[in-house]
Amino acid sequence: MKTKIHTEQAPAAIGPYVQGIAHNGVIYTSGQLPLDPETMSFVSGGIKKQTKQSLLNLKAILDESGSSLENVIKTTCFLSDMNNFMAFNEVYEEVFGIDNPPARSCVEVARLPKDALVEIEAIAITDK
């Protein structure tokens, strides 16, 4: 049976979806935009700040589920402009490191919701 994951520490869904789903010890998050959960506005400061906020939102959902960033096994990352790839990678590496990062896909898309610069989703396991 799937279990809905919800936390006030991450942005509320802006459509007919949930922040995440837990099923059989696996967490599937919805894509996280760089929205401040309190204001539901994008953080300012460009791709690095937006990447950091998306990852903070992802962390909040994983923490609520009983998992963590350390348990992420796969991310899918969407960039509005592949010219931001290097700056995105700098922040991503700060969070996930280089010794044991998750598998990852990173693609440029024509457009993201609300014209975000980045959106990140993850699959993680739990320790439960």
Side-chain angles (χ1 to χ4, degrees):
M1 182 163 104
K2 67 181 185 177
T3 304
K4 178 174 116 174
I5 301 165
H6 177 77
T7 177
E8 298 296 323
Q9 303 306 308
I14 59 172
Y17 60 90
V18 296
Q19 292 171 330
I21 293 288
H23 180 68
N24 288 339
V26 180
I27 308 304
Y28 304 86
T29 73
S30 293
Q32 292 306 299
L33 296 171
L35 293 166
D36 178 307
E38 291 182 22
T39 65
M40 290 300 288
S41 298
F42 286 140
V43 294
S44 59
I47 187 63
K48 286 186 175 186
K49 295 284 188 182
Q50 285 200 11
T51 299
K52 183 69 171 184
Q53 186 63 52
S54 290
L55 290 167
L56 287 172
N57 295 341
L58 195 66
K59 180 184 182 313
I61 295 165
L62 293 171
D63 289 349
E64 181 68 22
S65 74
S67 189
S68 66
L69 288 171
E70 291 77 26
N71 287 339
V72 173
I73 57 174
K74 171 77 165 76
T75 61
T76 305
C77 307
F78 307 94
L79 300 177
S80 65
D81 184 347
M82 199 52 82
N83 290 318
N84 288 328
F85 186 71
M86 296 301 285
F88 165 83
N89 268 340
E90 288 178 29
V91 177
Y92 189 93
E93 184 179 315
E94 287 173 13
V95 172
F96 287 110
I98 57 171
D99 292 332
N100 193 22
R104 180 180 91 177
S105 299
C106 189
V107 298
E108 179 181 89
V109 295
R111 193 169 179 201
L112 288 167
K114 296 184 169 241
D115 293 318
L117 300 178
V118 62
E119 182 174 4
I120 305 169
E121 65 182 30
I123 300 171
I125 55 174
T126 62
D127 292 326
K128 295 179 183 178

